[in-house]
Amino acid sequence: MGRKRLQESVDGRPTVHTVAARAGVSIASASRVLNGVGGSPETIRKVRAAAAEVGYVPNAIARSLQSQRTGQIALAVEDIGNPVYVAMMRAIEAVVASSGRQLLVHATGGQIANETALLRRLAHRYVDGLILSPIRITEEHLVALADSPVPVVVIGQLPPDTPVDNVRTDSQAGVALAVDHLVAAGRRRIGFVNGPLDTVPGAARDAGFRAALARHGIELDERLLEVGDFQYAAGRAATKRLLARARPDALVCANDLIAVGALHALLVAGHRVPGDVALVGMDDTELASMVLPSMSSVSLDATERGRIAAQLLLERIDDSSLPPRRITIAPHLVVRDSSPTPDGRAKQWA
Amino acid sequence: MGRKRLQESVDGRPTVHTVAARAGVSIASASRVLNGVGGSPETIRKVRAAAAEVGYVPNAIARSLQSQRTGQIALAVEDIGNPVYVAMMRAIEAVVASSGRQLLVHATGGQIANETALLRRLAHRYVDGLILSPIRITEEHLVALADSPVPVVVIGQLPPDTPVDNVRTDSQAGVALAVDHLVAAGRRRIGFVNGPLDTVPGAARDAGFRAALARHGIELDERLLEVGDFQYAAGRAATKRLLARARPDALVCANDLIAVGALHALLVAGHRVPGDVALVGMDDTELASMVLPSMSSVSLDATERGRIAAQLLLERIDDSSLPPRRITIAPHLVVRDSSPTPDGRAKQWA
DNA sequence: CAAACTCTCGGAAACGTTTACAGCAATGGG
DNA sequence: CCCATTGCTGTAAACGTTTCCGAGAGTTTG
């Protein structure tokens, strides 16, 4: 009994001690064999046999404590229901899994308190690194990022010279792509349904929209601007408000969820899309091709951003002396049926 | 230097030794104070001060090793992009987070190999419990479940008498609800677009559909049956095939993704919904109210299933002697615009 | 044939916690 | 005034690994 206590873990499962005793070798030898480093043929045989007989599985926690690695990566996004984050998550999970690690998912709800709390919790070292995609960036974030005890990669805009690995996209240029496309098709009364202006993407897209109109010499009509959350329901409501006071001939939306809401509002109000009002979303999520008419959308390549972010993180975990890197992904426009084709014609059935 | 090595962790961060030394007490006393158990007022003051000064944060891994608890829960679903799993995940994450734990997400892709590998990996004890929502159940699953080293809760059908906590829904009855609804509205040529028949939900829904038709004395026309993956694209393709050879006046779909695909195929083919063909999806995801016309759908209450599964798991973690529990959630029909209202009339504009 | 290497092995320390146990002082009751 | 109780404290063991180090055996080299 006393002897057994020394060999089995507290819940009766075999430990390296069990295996070693059964094979008649020391735990050091057993451990070496089990990790495939060293051991004479005879020892290897005995240890492997013993391990198989008792069904030994190493304890990940104990291993982590010793190796100072958890084999876990955390991902924190605002809303795991947004298809753009789903795409990102899929890409990240693929990279993470292929490196033999696991992915932890946190939903922050966009709350700053949640995010900084999460950053602080990293000090517990339950994870080897974090991929964070914040929707707002505060001074608190920057401080917390600066003395984060584990590597963090941020997906999204960060102030210049923040010494943090960073994957971003130029959503300002993305909005410009949408506007250019619509102007080229002869639309002039272009509306914009945005997310909250106090978010980083919201502010960038607002600036992008204004700049693009200015570049085309179109005067901005403030009645064509609306703001809501980055959600379907908010997009639908915002569009309804906008339509109640103005007559756009095109609508740009700050993401696809908003755009689907806008599409719904437009069709319910009896507008033809793209005949009366052309529509361009943003993020190019799966949603864009699910709806009818299928939606043009500016792709910010969430999959690619996720993949790169994961790779950057793994690289930094392996070598913390790397200089901070900043990767920018260029947006591109995917034209579908909700906006006029390049030759200016709308599909006949719409 | 030698002294320092004893007080700080290998990467220079403070440990309980650091705090203890700084406060001039033993590590035992320090640990006790930090855990809020015992300590004289003076000791408490000194330790708290020392901890604050050095910015001490306990190491979660070391704590886990000692306490035999990781504070982590894993969730494994087929496809994190399916909105039904998103809803489930949201509910689970809420429960898990409010118990102070964290959620790990695994995407299995429905691969049996992945799932059994995952079950085996539980032996590494990196997590306190698992919520598994398998789409297929094999003998391998049952064996792996039987000797899982940590508690597992399964969401989905399980053979009777499997001694595993289980949250399920009666999707067979769910399909019946849809069929009853359509028959009551006078539809007779009811088609069914299902997922793979070798999956548990696929088989159940197939059986449910056949039984429901039989109950109404409607002879089954095999040409009105189609099968694909539980995905949007597959649903769209399957519906296209079905429409090429038959003229249904209603369509039941095995989930909302398939249903949105079917809706797309129907509208593109020029059918009016629900005028020519009524449509009922299943799962009642957010998607259902995003599309136009908004989709009737049989709710299997994924949110509730997720919430309950998480609670069952937490209970079992706290008390492994509990008898296996099986909770069944009743489905209910949510009628929207894609199927006739109870009085048999379709909305005028469709 | 001695010296220098190369392998393999086991003991023991380490990773950073929590906690059983025993010692000790102070307190209260008889 | 003594003893039992209470409340703190520190020492040391434990959680289950990996790995450093020194010892011994066998092999090569000069």
Side-chain angles (χ1 to χ4, degrees), chain A residues 79-127:
Chain A
D79 169 22
I80 49 178
N82 188 329
V84 71
Y85 291 124
V86 170
M88 223 176 242
M89 199 177 345
R90 277 210 184 100
I92 292 172
E93 140 97 10
V95 175
V96 164
S98 79
S99 82
R101 279 172 253 242
Q102 330 221 37
L103 187 65
L104 249 103
V105 176
H106 295 277
T108 66
Q111 306 298 313
I112 297 168
N114 281 348
E115 289 177 0
T116 52
L118 176 59
L119 250 8
R120 259 191 304 279
R121 248 187 302 154
L122 291 179
H124 291 174
R125 317 304 292 270
Y126 63 101
V127 63

Side-chain angles (χ1 to χ4, degrees), chain B residues 66-281:
Chain B
Q66 158 67 32
S67 67
Q68 306 278 54
R69 295 237 160 159
T70 65
Q72 299 191 145
I73 301 291
L75 168 66
V77 298
E78 183 214 350
D79 169 23
I80 49 178
N82 188 328
V84 71
Y85 291 124
V86 170
M88 222 176 245
M89 197 176 351
R90 277 211 184 98
I92 292 172
E93 139 96 11
V95 175
V96 164
S98 77
S99 83
R101 279 173 252 243
Q102 330 220 37
L103 187 65
L104 249 104
V105 175
H106 295 277
T108 66
Q111 307 297 314
I112 297 168
N114 281 349
E115 290 177 359
T116 53
L118 176 58
L119 250 7
R120 259 191 304 279
R121 247 187 302 154
L122 291 178
H124 291 174
R125 316 306 291 270
Y126 62 99
V127 68
D128 293 336
L130 169 70
I131 299 176
L132 178 65
S133 184
I135 197 174
R136 290 170 237 257
I137 300 268
T138 64
E139 192 53 40
E140 284 185 81
H141 278 94
L142 297 177
V143 189
L145 279 173
D147 47 40
S148 162
V150 305
V152 178
V153 173
V154 170
I155 300 184
Q157 304 284 335
L158 227 41
D161 299 324
T162 312
V164 172
D165 291 321
N166 180 220
V167 180
R168 56 175 60 193
T169 176
D170 189 347
S171 64
Q172 203 156 336
V175 176
L177 286 178
V179 171
D180 292 354
H181 167 61
L182 293 167
V183 168
R187 310 290 167 128
R188 285 296 179 278
R189 299 190 313 280
I190 305 176
F192 185 39
V193 186
N194 200 358
L197 292 176
D198 65 343
T199 63
V200 175
R205 288 161 204 197
D206 182 67
F209 184 72
R210 292 171 186 270
L213 282 198
R215 192 157 38 75
H216 287 290
I218 302 180
E219 195 185 352
L220 180 67
D221 179 352
E222 295 281 346
R223 289 173 310 166
L224 289 172
L225 294 184
E226 256 298 345
V227 161
D229 280 341
F230 283 110
Q231 304 282 347
Y232 164 81
R236 188 171 164 187
T239 304
K240 209 168 157 190
R241 290 195 300 271
L242 192 153
L243 292 177
R245 64 161 183 258
R247 283 278 162 265
D249 58 11
L251 231 39
V252 177
C253 297
N255 77 5
D256 275 0
L257 284 174
I258 293 178
V260 172
L263 178 60
H264 203 125
L266 284 169
L267 296 179
V268 165
H271 300 274
R272 287 169 310 159
V273 176
D276 301 331
V277 182
L279 181 68
V280 178

Side-chain angles (χ1 to χ4, degrees), chain B residues 26 28-29 32 39-40 43 66:
Chain B
S26 72
S29 293
R32 275 187 291 256
S40 71
T43 307
Q66 158 67 32

Side-chain angles (χ1 to χ4, degrees), chain A residues 39-346:
Chain A
S40 70
E42 174 63 1
T43 308
I44 293 180
R45 192 192 57 73
K46 286 189 297 187
V47 172
R48 291 242 175 94
E53 284 168 26
V54 300
Y56 171 74
V57 180
N59 180 308
I61 300 294
R63 195 200 288 261
S64 292
L65 180 58
Q66 158 68 32
S67 66
Q68 305 279 56
R69 294 240 159 155
T70 66
Q72 299 190 145
I73 301 292
L75 168 67
V77 298
E78 183 215 351
D79 169 22
I80 49 178
N82 188 329
V84 71
Y85 291 124
V86 170
M88 223 176 242
M89 199 177 345
R90 277 210 184 100
I92 292 172
E93 140 97 10
V95 175
V96 164
S98 79
S99 82
R101 279 172 253 242
Q102 330 221 37
L103 187 65
L104 249 103
V105 176
H106 295 277
T108 66
Q111 306 298 313
I112 297 168
N114 281 348
E115 289 177 0
T116 52
L118 176 59
L119 250 8
R120 259 191 304 279
R121 248 187 302 154
L122 291 179
H124 291 174
R125 317 304 292 270
Y126 63 101
V127 63
D128 292 338
L130 168 71
I131 299 176
L132 177 65
S133 184
I135 196 172
R136 288 171 237 258
I137 300 268
T138 64
E139 193 53 41
E140 285 185 81
H141 278 95
L142 297 177
V143 191
L145 279 173
D147 47 41
S148 162
V150 304
V152 178
V153 174
V154 170
I155 300 183
Q157 305 283 334
L158 227 41
D161 298 324
T162 312
V164 172
D165 290 322
N166 179 221
V167 181
R168 58 174 59 194
T169 176
D170 189 346
S171 64
Q172 202 156 335
V175 176
L177 286 179
V179 171
D180 291 355
H181 167 61
L182 293 168
V183 169
R187 310 290 167 127
R188 286 295 178 280
R189 299 192 312 282
I190 305 176
F192 184 38
V193 186
N194 199 358
L197 292 176
D198 65 343
T199 62
V200 176
R205 287 162 205 197
D206 182 68
F209 185 72
R210 291 171 187 270
L213 282 197
R215 193 158 36 76
H216 287 289
I218 302 181
E219 194 185 352
L220 179 66
D221 178 353
E222 295 280 347
R223 288 173 310 166
L224 288 173
L225 294 184
E226 256 298 344
V227 161
D229 279 342
F230 283 109
Q231 304 284 348
Y232 164 81
R236 189 172 162 185
T239 304
K240 209 169 156 188
R241 291 195 299 272
L242 193 155
L243 292 178
R245 65 164 183 259
R247 282 279 160 265
D249 58 10
L251 231 40
V252 176
C253 295
N255 77 4
D256 275 0
L257 284 175
I258 293 178
V260 172
L263 178 61
H264 203 126
L266 284 168
L267 296 180
V268 165
H271 299 276
R272 285 169 311 159
V273 176
D276 301 331
V277 182
L279 181 68
V280 178
M282 180 165 265
D283 278 342
D284 190 32
T285 62
E286 333 173 82
L287 233 40
S289 37
M290 288 194 189
V291 293
L292 258 180
S294 66
M295 242 172 34
S296 300
S297 190
V298 176
S299 168
L300 305 175
D301 217 332
T303 298
E304 185 69 357
R305 279 183 290 158
R307 199 180 58 74
I308 293 180
Q311 276 171 349
L312 288 186
L313 184 57
L314 295 185
E315 285 171 24
R316 172 150 315 275
I317 288 173
D318 281 341
D319 178 3
S320 63
S321 71
L322 257 30
R325 290 149 301 167
R326 157 169 307 179
I327 311 275
T328 302
I329 305 285
H332 64 273
L333 177 69
V334 179
V335 178
R336 296 200 181 81
D337 299 342
S338 70
S339 66
T341 47
D343 58 18
R345 282 197 324 232

